[in-house]
Amino acid sequence: MTNFAAQLKGEISRIAKKESRAETAPLKKTNAQYRSEIAELKRRIAGLEAAVKRLAKAQPKAEKPKADDDESNALRFRADGFASLRKKLGLSGMEMAKLLGVSNQSVYHWEAGKSKPRAAQLAAIAAARKLGKKEAAAKLAQL
């Protein structure tokens, strides 16, 4: 009986392997096909990236439009520069706010770097940069 049991076990094992090979063979074939397609796509991507780099090098850099130096300097804003302007003019935060037509809190936030002035306020700050101490005091007296 052991001989018969061993033969039956071997036959079942052989048939199971044959069935599993039959089931997995198409999967292995499609897997190999997908891998080759992926490799081809990677090669195409590498070629396209190289072409993009070549074109980027061949294209001249876009130049920024040049503006007058006075205008570009007038519209820049730095918190420490604004604080030094106020000190140079000898004004308190409240007086500077009154001169620019903004609130005291705005001046405080600008100097602390918590916020930045809007375009209209930048124009007023640019005008204040051109003032001296006496002119600023005279302008404040008018307000």
Side-chain angles (χ1 to χ4, degrees), residues 70-117:
D70 294 338
E71 285 184 35
S72 63
N73 289 339
L75 299 179
R76 286 188 312 175
F77 180 81
R78 283 190 358 233
D80 55 344
F82 180 72
S84 66
L85 170 68
R86 182 180 61 79
K87 290 173 186 169
K88 181 186 92 169
L89 295 175
L91 301 175
S92 67
M94 184 184 296
E95 292 169 332
M96 187 65 155
K98 190 175 180 182
L99 181 68
L100 297 175
V102 296
S103 69
N104 301 339
Q105 279 298 90
S106 294
V107 170
Y108 171 75
H109 285 294
W110 294 344
E111 287 184 0
K114 292 181 181 178
S115 66
K116 292 187 178 185

